[in-house]
Amino acid sequence: MYDATWLLRLYARRRLRQLAAMDPQRTQRRVLSSLIDRGRATTFGRDHEFSAAWSLDDYRSRVPLRDYDAFWEDYWRAPFPRLADCTWPGLIPWLAVSSGTTTGTTKYIPVSREMHRSNVRASADLLTHHLANRPGSRLFAGRVFMLGGSTGLVRQSQGVFSGDLSGIATAAMPAWARLRYFPPRDLESIDDWQIKIERFAERSLAEDITAVVGTPSWLLIYFERLAEIAGARRGGTLRRIADVYPDLEMLAHGGVAWAPYRDRFAALLEGSRAETREVYPASEGFFAIADRADGEGLRLLLDNGIFYEFIPVDQLDNPQPDCRWIGDVEPGVNYALAVTTCAGLWRYLVGDTVTVVERDPPRVLVTGRTSYMLSAFGEHVIGAEVERAVAEAARTIGATVSDFAAGSLFPEETGARGGHLYIVELGPERGESGLDSEQHARFAERLDAALCRLNDDYAAHRAGGYGMDAARVRVVPPGAFAVWMKSRGKLGGQNKVPRIINDRALFDGLRRFADSYGETGGGSVQR
């Protein structure tokens, strides 16, 4: 295949100069002013009396923070599916279907043509940062493989379609990107996840794959099957991606926290030239990209039709919270993220929580969800702490993690204490045997100790076993979470295993599912 990386390199040089000269505050003010001006003629703009003369303070005082449910009830439900001039000028052509990871409630997020272009520019920035780190890149000598959901879209009305964001992206993909994209059209619309990975793996062996993009949990499942198929063809056993995709340069991942998967992918990528690069895409917009090393934060995309605000998580229920923006956000504080976008979201609470690690240029770490917290007993353990503790516990016993979910166990009798239960699927190096009793105890003890170290509230509740029991761990065999997700109709694509489950019925269902594997659960069991 002709190496077109030189064209990308020309773009990257110009874009890197723009990013180096960018003033974050001036850029974000300009974005907000442009969005307000575009929104003046919409129903939302008229209701809030949008004015081109507004300052940031004017905007905040006139437009309240809203979540999806509020937008749905106030502006989208009545005209659905034809959202014409409701919160963004013109007809919204696409609706990204999102169920989230905690509630499971189906959401229809507007995707305007302007937002589609914003997503394309964000993807170009991802490639730009890769080239900055890899000057000798030959990325466009091969194909970029996107492991996403089904690209089949549902026609909701004339000119209006709904589906996975990946389906929307490929349906409107520019011609230049299609030339370097995998999978081909005859495969990308497959709905069945198991058939999809079989066909993708088989066909990709005939391609020169230079980059892979996807959610870590589903990439693991795909890579394991890919290695089996490639090994069978070669009459042996393959364990490394380098043996299958020798020219792989980049693995871009997002959607779930990377920490629990880091060691697993390090083993898979051993001997490979590939770098890992985290991205922060959402149905509401493409927000940030890692432009430096793993763990150093994701650089916010400031000039891409999205304005960012940050609300301290502990003030979300306050009628007048201390909202911050790029100009006065404080590093180290756990914030709920709100965005104003070129798809007609105005001070919209995304549901994610972030901390800022650097202000110029602004870089963030995603810490979880606003509903992604274990606090049934007042312990206030956030998602980032849970993920780090699970990763540390696995490392202690020389294991990796494929998937996990955690929820609260409530006392069932007088005098009993509640606590947390972690249902964990370990990597294939443990096989069906899981953990012996000693390893299981070490895993649970290290997980509990890590949470005590990371979270003062948890430590206080655990002190002397007075408020909470120690964390409990249940191990399920390899592939168990994929079976559970399939049973819920959530297998593959952009569906994600919920890391923290506060829905009691959903968590009870998962516990019953884990129980179906028997008392050993693929290893040791603690109930």
Side-chain angles (χ1 to χ4, degrees), residues 67-69 72 76 80 95-110 162-163 283-284 348-352 369-371 490:
D67 61 10
Y68 174 84
D69 291 337
W72 175 257
W76 299 333
F80 183 85
L95 301 164
V97 178
S98 171
S99 63
T101 57
T102 52
T103 65
T105 303
T106 299
K107 301 177 181 178
Y108 294 90
I109 308 297
S162 67
S283 299
E284 295 84 359
Y348 176 97
L349 289 162
V350 176
D352 292 336
R369 300 280 293 172
T370 52
S371 56
K490 301 288 185 181

Side-chain angles (χ1 to χ4, degrees), residues 2 25 84 96 116 216 251-252 279 310 366 375 398 407 415:
Y2 172 69
Q25 295 186 39
H116 171 69
L251 188 151
V279 294
F310 307 86
V366 182
S375 195

Side-chain angles (χ1 to χ4, degrees), residues 93-94 113 116 146 150-154 161-175 178 181 185 188:
W94 301 290
R113 297 190 185 281
H116 171 69
M146 180 181 292
S150 171
T151 59
L153 300 180
V154 176
F161 298 87
S162 67
D164 282 353
L165 188 62
S166 57
I168 294 171
T170 54
M173 184 178 291
R178 173 64 66 178
Y181 174 79
R185 291 185 185 274
E188 63 186 8

Side-chain angles (χ1 to χ4, degrees), residues 242-281:
D243 297 326
V244 187
Y245 297 155
D247 295 323
L248 186 67
E249 287 190 14
M250 179 180 70
L251 188 151
H253 59 88
V256 298
W258 180 241
Y261 300 102
R262 184 178 285 111
D263 293 344
R264 184 83 173 276
F265 276 96
L268 280 170
L269 294 174
E270 183 181 355
S272 170
R273 300 185 301 113
E275 66 170 11
T276 59
R277 190 165 294 279
E278 187 171 1
V279 294
Y280 181 13

Side-chain angles (χ1 to χ4, degrees), residues 357-503:
V357 296
E358 191 171 335
R359 288 183 55 177
D360 191 8
R363 292 186 175 88
V364 300
L365 290 174
V366 182
T367 57
R369 300 280 293 172
T370 52
S371 56
Y372 191 25
M373 176 186 292
L374 286 171
S375 195
F377 314 103
E379 64 274 30
H380 303 111
V381 177
I382 64 174
E385 294 164 343
V386 166
E387 286 151 351
R388 183 172 172 183
V390 170
E392 286 186 18
R395 200 171 296 122
T396 297
I397 60 169
T400 58
V401 176
S402 291
D403 255 316
F404 75 91
S408 297
L409 294 177
F410 295 89
E412 296 181 355
E413 57 187 42
T414 303
R417 291 183 297 269
H420 300 162
L421 172 64
Y422 290 77
I423 299 174
V424 182
E425 178 184 325
L426 298 176
E429 71 277 355
R430 291 287 165 179
E432 293 290 335
S433 61
L435 305 178
D436 60 34
S437 58
E438 181 180 349
Q439 292 170 328
H440 184 277
R442 286 172 56 205
F443 185 97
E445 289 168 3
R446 182 56 183 267
L447 191 155
D448 191 67
L451 290 172
C452 286
R453 187 186 76 250
L454 295 169
N455 187 292
D456 291 340
D457 286 337
Y458 183 84
H461 281 74
R462 284 282 300 114
Y466 177 74
M468 290 174 59
D469 282 335
R472 305 178 189 184
V473 174
R474 172 73 189 254
V475 177
V476 294
F481 271 101
V483 174
W484 180 63
M485 291 293 281
K486 184 178 182 179
S487 73
R488 301 172 57 228
K490 301 288 185 181
L491 184 64
Q494 292 178 265
N495 296 301
K496 307 159 194 171
V497 172
R499 289 286 176 257
I500 292 177
I501 304 178
N502 290 314
D503 183 321

